Structures are given as C-alpha cells and as structure tokens.
Amino acid sequence: MSYVLLLIGFMLLIKGADFFVHGASSMARALHVSPLLIGLTIVAFGTSSPEATVSIVAALQENAGVAIGNVVGSNIFNITFVVGIAAFLTPLKVESETIRKEIPFTLLASISLLILISDVTLQTVSQNLITRSDGLIFLLFFAIFLYYIFEVARNSREKGKQDNTESKIVSWKKNIVLTIGGLAAIIFGGDLVVNNATTIAYSFGMSETLVGLTIVAIGTSLPELITSITAALKNESEIALGNIVGSNIFNILFVLGAASVISPLAVESKIYIDVILMIVLTGVLLVFSRTNFKIGKIEGIVLVLAYVLYMTYIFIRN
C-alpha cells in the first residue's frame, strides 16, 4: 500500500506543480513580467514547491535526513540530469547577464551550506545540527536574493510591457483556481511522499538521508525536469536554465532555511561529501555556461554521465 500511496503522492506533486506554474506564469505575463524573470522566480519557485513541501513536512516529523537529503539530492539532479537532458535535446544558450550572475549566487549558497554544516561539528553536542540561527542566516540570504530579483524586475519591466501576447486572453478566475488548487495538491502530495518513502526506506534498511537523496529528490525534481525540457524544446533557454538556477537557490536558502527554523535538522556525516559534490558540479555548470555562452550536447552528455556515476556511488556507499 505504501508504494501505491507514494506513487499517488508523486502524481499530486507533479500535476500540482504543473497547475501552479501554468496559472502563476499566465498571471505574471498578464502583468507584463518578462519571460526571464518568470523563469527565475515564478517557474523556479513553483517547480521547487514540492521540495519545499517535502522538506518542511519532513522537518515537522523530525525526519531530518529526508529534509536535507531531498534538497542536496534535488540540486545535484537539477544541475546534472535536468540540465544535461535539456542541453542534449537543444543546446542551451546562456546570453543573459542575469543568468550568469545567478550561477555564482547558486555557488555562494552551496558554499554557505557547507560552511554552516561544518561549523556545527565544532559544537560540543551529541548530534550535529543545522540550528534555527543557521536557518535564519539562510533566510537572510534569500531576502537579499529576492531584493536582487526585484531590481531585475524593475529594470526589465519596460521590456516586459512589449510582450502582450498573453495578457489579452488571460482568464483570471481560471488561473487563480489553478494556482490555489496546484498548491493544495503539492501540500497533500508532499505529505504522502514523506510518510510512505520513509516507510519504504525502513523496510529496505535504507537510511533517511539515502532515500532523501534518491527517491524523494528525483520525485520532487520531476517538475523541474519537465519544465526545463519543454522550455528547451521551445527554444526558451533563459527559462530552461533560469528554472534550474532559481530552483537550486530556492532549495538551499528558503527550503532548508524554513525547515531548520521550524525544527533544527540533524546532519549525518555522509551528507558532507554530497554537499561538496554539489559545489563542484555547480562550478562545472558555471564553466560550461561561460564556454561560448552555451551548454551544448557534449556538455549535456557529461552532466548526465556525472549523475549516473553519482547514483552508483551513493548506492555502493550505503
């Protein structure tokens, strides 16, 4: 029964995120917000809402391994598999100065995570924790990121006003219903995923961190995968890559920040290697994006292979 409920939970997460992104994006375009900003914020935050729900619910249920593993695993999946598949299908052009600035910001957020979880090892406590004060630091960084985004929005608003293709046909009632209904499905689906994934993990002798890094991380990242592939096929490179960069920033700063403020998160020793790998892969993405300002098919294959190797490693490690 747990497998059936887990599948239902994933379906609710994916479809809920799809409704949320569609409704919110349509309303944003009607308000003359540029496609780039939509990719970096509404689409990115919308597709990351499953991660947020799962990690926050896991924190409330004191499943810290799922909460932390979900964020780190999702970010690694996004950087490698999602970007890799999208780039293999259609080379991603990295022309926007905003995107090039946000990848370093993602790197900064990842390094901040490593510093904070390394700092807790110096405490004379029986268990390493991401404390509430650490969570507040993450949320402060997230507030700085939002301020930056608002500045981008203000500077690009005039350009956005030139694109009125959707604003003339927007159905506000429909999109409000889609947005609220999508969020409701995400919340309920997230609860199902956490409960049943944890049950399955225990039955196989898997640790909470491992199930967070694998089953939960991949499941909650499916909206990013679907959204970025669709955007790439439509030659919307800014939305495809902006979705991933924005999602990863959101995952670390807001999701972990909110989860640890709700309940301090215990840190397993194995997760340090995964965080370091996340930093390295973010650096690789930065290098790829600055090479001829595009991520091509070869880079895409390299990223996908990196994820396959990573999955092999963590299953052997467990």
Side-chain angles (χ1 to χ4, degrees):
M1 191 62 185
S2 293
Y3 292 98
V4 175
L5 292 176
L6 180 65
L7 181 60
I8 292 173
F10 279 143
M11 291 173 63
L12 287 172
L13 283 172
I14 296 167
K15 202 60 183 177
D18 180 54
F19 284 157
F20 176 82
V21 170
H22 178 78
S25 297
S26 295
M27 289 189 290
R29 290 182 186 274
L31 294 173
H32 312 298
V33 178
S34 68
L36 171 62
L37 192 61
I38 292 173
L40 296 175
T41 54
I42 296 173
V43 174
F45 298 169
T47 55
S48 286
S49 50
E51 286 93 333
T53 304
V54 167
S55 288
I56 290 173
V57 170
L60 288 170
Q61 298 178 354
E62 298 184 353
N63 291 328
V66 173
I68 300 174
N70 175 39
V71 168
V72 176
S74 292
N75 281 15
I76 292 175
F77 182 79
N78 288 343
I79 296 169
T80 55
F81 194 82
V82 177
V83 174
I85 291 295
F88 179 76
L89 294 174
T90 304
L92 303 176
K93 295 180 181 179
V94 190
E95 299 175 347
S96 169
E97 185 178 356
T98 303
I99 294 292
R100 296 199 303 271
K101 286 181 179 178
E102 286 199 347
I103 295 177
F105 197 96
T106 309
L107 188 60
L108 175 63
S110 302
I111 293 173
S112 298
L113 174 60
L114 179 62
I115 292 173
L116 289 179
I117 64 175
S118 298
D119 179 64
V120 298
T121 62
L122 301 178
Q123 300 177 11
T124 56
V125 294
S126 59
Q127 192 172 38
N128 299 333
L129 301 172
I130 298 179
T131 64
R132 287 189 171 90
S133 59
D134 293 331
L136 291 174
I137 292 173
F138 281 136
L139 293 178
L140 176 61
F141 276 125
F142 185 67
I144 295 172
F145 170 68
L146 286 181
Y147 174 79
Y148 165 71
I149 286 296
F150 288 142
E151 285 298 306
V152 173
R154 188 178 65 177
N155 294 333
S156 64
R157 185 167 177 78
E158 289 303 317
K159 180 180 178 181
K161 285 182 179 179
Q162 298 173 6
D163 183 10
N164 296 319
T165 55
E166 287 194 33
S167 61
K168 298 178 181 178
I169 58 173
V170 165
S171 171
W172 286 96
K173 290 183 179 180
K174 174 185 176 182
N175 287 302
I176 289 173
V177 170
L178 285 175
T179 303
I180 296 175
L183 282 175
I186 287 167
I187 293 171
F188 184 62
D191 187 56
L192 287 176
V193 168
V194 170
N195 290 334
N196 294 284
T198 304
T199 300
I200 294 171
Y202 285 146
S203 69
F204 280 96
M206 296 170 62
S207 67
E208 290 180 359
T209 298
L210 179 60
V211 78
L213 286 168
T214 55
I215 300 172
V216 178
I218 294 173
T220 56
S221 288
L222 289 179
E224 281 95 335
L225 177 63
I226 296 168
T227 301
S228 289
I229 288 177
T230 301
L233 292 175
K234 293 181 178 180
N235 293 319
E236 294 281 359
S237 295
E238 290 182 333
I239 290 181
L241 190 55
N243 172 38
I244 297 307
V245 174
S247 293
N248 283 15
I249 293 172
F250 183 85
N251 286 344
I252 295 174
L253 300 183
F254 179 79
V255 176
L256 276 185
S260 57
V261 166
I262 292 171
S263 177
L265 303 174
V267 180
E268 288 190 16
S269 58
K270 292 180 180 180
I271 202 69
Y272 291 95
I273 297 176
D274 302 288
V275 173
I276 292 172
L277 180 60
M278 178 177 66
I279 294 172
V280 172
L281 290 170
T282 304
V284 171
L285 181 64
L286 178 61
V287 172
F288 283 173
S289 68
R290 291 182 179 274
T291 305
N292 299 320
F293 300 105
K294 73 174 183 178
I295 302 175
K297 292 182 181 293
I298 295 178
E299 289 92 340
I301 294 173
V302 170
L303 291 172
V304 171
L305 288 176
Y307 187 71
V308 172
L309 291 174
Y310 169 68
M311 289 294 288
T312 303
Y313 161 73
I314 60 174
F315 273 108
I316 294 175
R317 180 182 70 183
N318 188 63

